[in-house]
């Protein structure tokens, strides 16, 4: 606080933004030293903090998930990558490296809603039975893991409060309490869409390891049947092709019967 004497003899008090002190140097007049004012810090409820909270909110993340999936589905409709895998594959590519590249492309395509049967048939036509099954299974687990991660990080917090219906609660309870066997049954039953099982599991409280293990084990029969059918498509009367078609048809019938007989479990409150 500094006192300034007015012409009338009164004293006026000034309140400067900085505090001034005097620096006395021998032989020189006193020099004022100004202490700088502390920098202004944004309040916790500022605009930047509010924007950050909005971007991190569950519904913002869910909107991002919907945008990514819509973009992936649109890219499939425009570019048809399943045809590229089957018809446009470089003929000089073969062996383990080509199967690994195909597996990565397979996983990305499943996230973009490309039907797995088409990819499995392409794997058999390109690599034969052995390498085709290995590439298709690796791509299946990779695609399921990507979809599960996206759903768990971007969609779970927003969608879990909406699980109020009886059927939704029953499905969530099955996946949360009996995740391994429930997902194993979903993979063995061809009528359950691959992407639907992935995102339902992501919204539930199912763990990563049971989900991936059930996906790998449950996908073996159906994947192998389609791959063998693709590898033997040039000879549709061969025993291998006929057995593969039987392995595709019979699980679908058995799964439909089991689902019909167990339908009362999902109707329990």
């Amino acid at each position: 606080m500094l006192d300034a004497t007015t012409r009338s003899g009164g004293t006026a008090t000034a309140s400067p933004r900085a505090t001034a002190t005097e620096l006395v140097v021998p032989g020189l007049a006193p020099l004022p030293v100004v202490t700088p004012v502390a920098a202004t810090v944004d309040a916790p409820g500022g605009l930047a903090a509010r924007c950050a909270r909005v971007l991190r909110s569950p519904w913002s993340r869910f909107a991002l998930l919907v945008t990514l999936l819509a973009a992936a589905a649109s890219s499939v409709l425009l570019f048809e990558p399943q045809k590229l895998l089957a018809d446009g594959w470089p003929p000089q590519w073969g062996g383990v490296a080509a199967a690994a590249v195909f597996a990565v492309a397979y996983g990305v395509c499943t996230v973009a809603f490309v039907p797995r049967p088409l990819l499995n048939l392409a794997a058999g036509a390109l690599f034969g039975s052995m390498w085709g099954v290995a590439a298709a299974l690796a791509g299946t687990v990779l695609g399921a893991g990507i979809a599960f991660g996206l759903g768990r990080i971007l969609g779970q917090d927003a969608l879990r409060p909406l699980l109020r219906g009886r059927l939704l609660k029953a499905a969530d309870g099955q996946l949360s309490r009996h995740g391994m066997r429930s997902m194993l049954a979903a993979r063995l039953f061809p009528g359950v869409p691959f992407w639907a099982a992935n995102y339902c599991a992501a919204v539930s409280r199912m763990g990563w390891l049971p989900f991936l293990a059930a996906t790998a084990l449950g996908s073996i029969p159906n994947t192998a049947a389609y791959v063998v059918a693709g590898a033997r498509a040039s000879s549709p009367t061969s025993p291998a092709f006929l057995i593969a078609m039987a392995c595709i048809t019979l699980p679908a019938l058995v799964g439909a019967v089991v689902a019909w007989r167990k339908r009362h479990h999902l109707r329990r409150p």
Side-chain angles (χ1 to χ4, degrees):
M1 307 295 289
L2 298 179
D3 292 333
T5 304
T6 60
R7 294 183 179 179
S8 59
T11 301
T13 302
S15 300
R17 295 179 59 85
T19 303
T21 59
E22 290 185 349
L23 179 62
V24 180
V25 180
L28 297 177
L31 298 176
V33 177
V34 180
T35 303
V37 181
T40 304
V41 181
D42 291 339
L47 179 61
R50 289 196 297 269
C51 292
R53 284 196 297 270
V54 170
L55 292 176
R56 290 195 300 265
S57 66
W59 284 106
S60 296
R61 285 180 283 153
F62 180 69
L64 176 60
L65 175 62
V66 172
T67 303
L68 291 175
L69 296 180
S74 301
S75 66
V76 169
L77 295 177
L78 291 175
F79 302 107
E80 297 183 343
Q82 66 274 15
K83 291 185 177 180
L84 177 64
L85 293 178
D87 304 328
W89 193 259
Q92 66 273 16
W93 283 22
V96 179
V101 174
F102 181 88
V104 174
Y106 184 115
V108 174
C109 286
T110 58
V111 178
F113 305 107
V114 175
R116 286 183 60 246
L118 296 178
L119 299 174
N120 292 332
L121 292 172
L126 291 172
F127 302 104
S129 299
M130 185 179 68
W131 285 111
V133 170
L137 282 177
T140 296
V141 176
L142 176 63
I146 294 174
F148 186 85
L150 289 174
R152 178 61 55 89
I153 296 172
L154 300 178
Q156 187 187 49
D157 293 340
L159 295 180
R160 279 202 66 82
L162 303 180
L163 299 178
R164 298 190 181 95
R166 185 171 59 182
L167 293 178
L168 292 176
K169 283 186 176 180
D172 175 65
Q174 286 291 322
L175 289 172
S176 299
R177 293 191 301 270
H178 312 290
M180 181 73 179
R181 72 183 188 188
S182 298
M183 185 53 55
L184 190 62
R187 298 307 189 194
L188 290 171
F189 178 42
V192 178
F194 183 72
W195 60 269
N198 293 337
Y199 291 110
C200 287
V203 174
S204 72
R205 301 192 185 279
M206 185 178 182
W208 278 87
L209 184 58
F211 171 78
L212 295 177
T215 297
L217 294 175
S219 300
I220 291 176
N222 186 262
T223 301
Y226 274 101
V227 170
V228 172
R232 303 287 182 169
S234 58
S235 55
T237 57
S238 64
F241 183 83
L242 295 177
I243 293 174
M245 294 305 298
C247 292
I248 293 173
T249 306
L250 289 179
L253 296 177
V254 172
V257 172
V258 172
W260 175 259
R261 295 184 61 182
K262 298 294 184 180
R263 67 190 185 278
H264 60 278
H265 288 290
L266 291 178
R267 294 182 177 179
R268 290 178 181 176

